[in-house]
C-alpha cells in the first residue's frame, strides 16, 4: 500500500472508531435512563396491591424495559467487538505506514 492509500485508510478507520465510540456512548446513556425507569416503576408498584391491574401493568412494562435493556447490551457487545477489530486494523495500517515512511527516507538518503 502506498503512503497516500495508507493515510486514507487510517483516516477512514479513525472515523469508524469515533462513530462506534459515539454509538456505545449513546447506548450507555440510554441504559442509564432505562435503569432509572425500571427503578421508578418498582417504587410505584410497591404502593399498589400486588394483585391489582395497575401492578400487573407496571410489571409488564418493567419486563418490556428489561428486554429492551438486553437488546441494548447485545448491540453494545457487537459495537465493542467491531471497535476492537477496527483498532487492530488501525494498528496494522499504522505499522505499514511507518514502514513506508522509513523506506522512503532510507531510499532518499542512499
Amino acid at each position: 500500500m502506498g503512503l497516500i492509500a495508507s493515510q486514507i485508510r487510517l483516516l477512514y478507520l479513525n472515523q469508524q472508531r469515533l462513530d462506534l465510540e459515539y454509538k456505545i456512548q449513546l447506548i450507555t446513556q440510554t441504559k442509564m435512563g432505562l435503569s432509572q425507569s425500571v427503578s421508578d416503576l418498582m417504587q410505584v408498584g410497591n404502593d399498589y396491591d400486588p394483585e391489582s391491574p395497575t401492578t400487573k401493568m407496571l410489571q409488564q412494562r418493567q419486563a418490556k424495559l428489561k428486554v429492551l435493556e438486553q437488546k441494548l447490551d447485545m448491540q453494545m457487545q457487537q459495537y465493542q467487538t467491531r471497535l476492537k477489530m477496527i483498532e487492530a486494523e488501525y494498528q496494522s495500517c499504522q505499522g505499514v505506514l511507518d514502514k513506508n515512511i522509513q523506506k522512503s527516507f532510507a531510499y532518499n538518503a542512499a
Side-chain angles (χ1 to χ4, degrees), residues 75-89:
Q75 187 70 42
M76 186 183 297
Q77 286 176 346
Q78 289 175 350
Y79 287 156
Q80 288 172 338
T81 301
R82 287 176 52 198
L83 183 61
K84 287 178 185 176
M85 291 175 10
I86 286 175
E87 287 173 350
E89 188 174 349

Side-chain angles (χ1 to χ4, degrees), residues 37-59 62:
S37 296
V38 169
S39 176
D40 291 345
L41 284 175
M42 288 177 66
Q43 288 177 352
V44 170
N46 290 336
D47 296 340
Y48 294 103
D49 177 37
E51 297 301 319
S52 74
T54 304
T55 303
K56 291 181 181 182
M57 182 184 68
L58 290 174
Q59 289 172 346
Q62 184 181 9

